Amino acid sequence: MRYSYGLTSALLVGGAALSLITGYPAGAQVAQNDEGQMARVVPRAGAPESFADLTAQLQPAVVNISTRQRIQVQAQSNPFAGTPFEGLFGNRGRGGSTQQPTTREAQSLGSGFIISSDGYVVTNNHVIALQGKGEVEEITVTTTDGTEYPAELVGNDAASDLAVLKIKAPKAMPFVKFGDSSQARVGDWVIAIGNPFGLGGTVTSGIVSAVLRNTGSGSAYDRYIQTDASINRGNSGGPLFDMQGNVIGINNAIFSPSGGSVGIGFAIPAEIAAPIVQKLRSGQEIARGYLGVQIQPVSGDLADSLNLPQNRGEFVQGVEPGQAADKAGIRAGDVVTKVNGQDVTNEQTLSFLVANIAPGTRIPVELIREGQRRSVTLTVGKRPSDEELAQSQLFNNDDNGTTENPMSRGGGSDALATTLGLQVAPMTPRYAQQLGVPADTSGLVILGVDPGSDAGQKGLQAGDIVTTANYRSVGSVADLEATVNQAKSGGRETVLLRIQRRGRPLTYVPIRLR
């Protein structure tokens, strides 16, 4: 036995030595070709001796991007309300809250790359997007030689997290081109160039760890190139290059419990980014397909209960009234397995497939209903804006109505937010479905409540429906504004709202104006 172990060790060492000398993997399988020669399986181009030459060519086209923003923040309650010290903290309202929101300056830092000699720049939308309610005052692009250029926003798209900027360059700018990310393979060498932590031009290298990685976010573009090239905060919007100097990805996010790189970074594939960038650059609308369904993957216990394979198809939890799926007869409980001839999988989600089909296109959809395979043909609808989608999902919380503070979501009436502490919107069939009320329900849906307002103190919450104000029906935001204005002009300090909440009787609630 001792001799046998020693022989095995010698063979492994010998195999390793053979691999180092010949450049071929130890133990690789070989086969005879037609001419009797030995055909060896070898990797594509191996590790370069240095990335320096490639970096020198590419780095001048990579830029740093900074923004200056002025945003509004919710006024904080005065902790000394009701004490002799409360007057030291400026204008205050009832309950110790300040009357007006305050503004503060914010900055963001990221990366980008030039795609044309006349100064078009690509970056992530979240690099230049507002951090809250307010406005972007300034966008600055800094090149590798330290030259700063003011930039204007040409177009941005929140769904794909892409944005295009334009700088007025006094000369032709160095630029890079998109490559074909569909040809990327796991194990290919890549380099990332960007502005991590605001340090300036930084180059890191690694390999493609996975292609078409789904992170489980459920978004229409949850489909990334995964890499172990070091990506950190500030790398967002920077390019991921292949060894030919083509941009095959736009660095977008990292997975990290610590906030720093742990070798799991995600880049938007060029095959997704390039067409969207071209539309943004030319001022075209980004119109995406939409079915109007709430879905979840077929995995775990769900797959077992349906007696279906894991991760094949997506389960329909709900169907929005009047949308494409509803019109085609798709029901809750169906499993969509194929869209327009393409299988629905973890790598090709239903959201991704449909989003990339032009609205108005008629397509076949295959599904399973109660164990039986069916096929329907439908006309793809137009995907609502992210804000509309967020509002439609606002009430998908537990029955106690606990939500994040939605006052920062925007929308609604600024006047009502100031006087009542409420953000409201007219009732729609989508809201009615989310709230579990009849489609013909009228009134205003509360989208958000300022917790420091009288409405917040009296328990109003997102998802409540305002049916009347001072005994008058309110079918629009203007109706409620008119009632509030009439009350104020009459010297009244409150309005009487009638509130409908799911599972509870209609209730009158007097709300103080502020």
Side-chain angles (χ1 to χ4, degrees):
M1 290 295 293
R2 186 174 304 160
Y3 173 78
S4 297
Y5 278 113
L7 178 61
T8 304
S9 299
L11 289 172
L12 290 173
V13 172
L18 178 64
S19 178
L20 290 172
I21 294 169
T22 64
Y24 301 118
Q29 296 293 319
V30 296
Q32 296 283 349
N33 63 19
D34 292 339
E35 299 178 356
Q37 299 293 321
M38 301 296 289
R40 290 174 173 166
V41 178
V42 297
R44 296 198 295 180
E49 292 183 0
S50 171
F51 296 103
D53 289 340
L54 187 59
T55 298
Q57 296 174 24
L58 301 175
Q59 196 161 23
V62 182
V63 298
N64 298 340
I65 297 174
S66 61
T67 71
R68 187 162 57 87
Q69 307 172 8
R70 187 160 296 278
I71 64 174
Q72 291 185 9
V73 294
Q74 189 64 40
Q76 299 296 314
S77 297
N78 183 350
F80 295 95
T83 74
F85 303 103
E86 68 176 338
L88 298 175
F89 295 89
N91 187 28
R92 64 190 187 280
R94 295 180 180 87
S97 62
T98 55
Q99 289 283 359
Q100 300 296 329
T102 59
T103 61
R104 65 177 176 86
E105 190 170 282
Q107 294 182 331
S108 67
L109 292 172
S111 306
F113 54 97
I114 304 171
I115 59 169
S116 66
S117 61
D118 55 348
Y120 282 94
V121 177
V122 174
T123 186
N124 282 151
N125 180 62
H126 75 258
V127 171
I128 54 90
L130 286 169
Q131 299 178 10
K133 188 176 182 180
E135 61 181 5
V136 175
E137 295 186 333
E138 184 179 85
I139 303 175
T140 302
V141 170
T142 306
T143 56
T144 53
D145 62 4
T147 304
E148 295 185 352
Y149 297 95
E152 65 178 65
L153 178 62
V154 175
N156 61 315
D157 179 51
S160 60
D161 199 15
L162 294 170
V164 176
L165 311 176
K166 179 69 167 64
I167 59 177
K168 293 181 179 179
K171 58 181 181 180
M173 302 295 292
F175 63 96
V176 290
K177 295 182 178 181
F178 283 109
D180 185 0
S181 60
S182 67
Q183 299 302 309
R185 301 194 308 167
V186 174
D188 281 349
W189 281 99
V190 289
I191 62 172
I193 305 179
N195 179 31
F197 303 113
L199 292 173
T202 299
V203 183
T204 56
S205 67
I207 62 170
V208 173
S209 304
V211 294
L212 308 183
R213 173 66 77 203
N214 185 308
T215 65
S217 70
S219 69
Y221 291 97
D222 187 17
R223 181 168 165 154
Y224 299 95
I225 294 174
Q226 182 181 325
T227 179
D228 68 348
S230 184
I231 295 173
N232 286 285
R233 296 172 186 260
N235 273 110
S236 287
L240 186 71
F241 292 106
D242 63 16
M243 290 298 98
Q244 286 71 49
N246 298 311
V247 179
I248 61 167
I250 301 175
N251 299 322
N252 182 257
I254 60 174
F255 177 82
S256 172
S258 64
S261 175
V262 293
I264 301 178
F266 303 104
I268 303 170
E271 60 186 304
I272 291 176
I276 296 174
V277 166
Q278 183 58 41
K279 288 184 178 181
L280 292 175
R281 180 176 170 179
S282 60
Q284 298 180 47
E285 179 188 12
I286 309 295
R288 298 182 173 87
Y290 188 69
L291 295 187
V293 291
Q294 291 83 48
I295 54 178
Q296 75 176 80
V298 178
S299 58
D301 291 341
L302 179 59
D304 291 340
S305 67
L306 297 170
N307 194 28
L308 292 175
Q310 296 274 352
N311 302 318
R312 289 292 182 270
E314 295 199 48
F315 184 80
V316 178
Q317 284 284 10
V319 179
E320 295 181 26
Q323 293 293 342
D326 180 45
K327 293 177 180 178
I330 295 177
R331 306 175 188 170
D334 290 347
V335 176
V336 179
T337 58
K338 189 173 289 190
V339 173
N340 204 25
Q342 294 183 281
D343 291 329
V344 177
T345 65
N346 278 354
E347 292 74 28
Q348 290 194 142
T349 64
L350 179 61
S351 296
F352 175 79
L353 291 173
V354 174
N356 286 279
I357 298 174
T361 306
R362 286 186 62 79
I363 60 170
V365 174
E366 295 183 17
L367 52 87
I368 298 174
R369 177 179 299 165
E370 298 178 0
Q372 302 297 315
R373 296 191 176 273
R374 296 171 178 259
S375 180
V376 299
T377 301
L378 55 77
T379 300
V380 177
K382 183 179 179 181
R383 183 180 178 85
S385 68
D386 283 351
E387 182 175 314
E388 291 172 325
L389 287 174
Q391 289 178 353
S392 72
Q393 298 164 3
L394 181 61
F395 314 110
N396 284 339
N397 299 290
D398 47 19
D399 289 338
N400 64 17
T402 302
T403 66
E404 61 179 311
N405 177 15
M407 295 298 290
S408 61
R409 293 178 181 271
S413 164
D414 289 337
L416 294 177
T418 301
T419 57
L420 292 177
L422 297 177
Q423 293 279 5
V424 298
M427 177 64 72
T428 65
R430 181 179 295 153
Y431 284 146
Q433 183 197 27
Q434 292 285 328
L435 295 170
V437 298
D440 59 355
T441 300
S442 62
L444 299 175
V445 181
I446 296 179
L447 303 179
V449 183
D450 181 353
S453 67
D454 190 52
Q457 296 296 318
K458 289 179 176 174
L460 268 63
Q461 61 191 32
D464 288 347
I465 302 170
V466 182
T467 61
T468 67
N470 287 351
Y471 301 106
R472 296 180 179 177
S473 298
V474 286
S476 68
V477 175
D479 290 342
L480 182 55
E481 287 179 336
T483 301
V484 169
N485 291 335
Q486 186 178 33
K488 292 173 69 174
S489 63
R492 298 169 64 178
E493 295 186 351
T494 61
V495 293
L496 185 64
L497 304 183
R498 196 179 194 197
I499 303 298
Q500 179 178 350
R501 181 175 296 172
R502 182 169 53 184
R504 299 188 185 182
L506 286 163
T507 305
Y508 285 102
V509 183
I511 302 298
R512 281 189 170 274
L513 306 178
R514 56 178 190 174

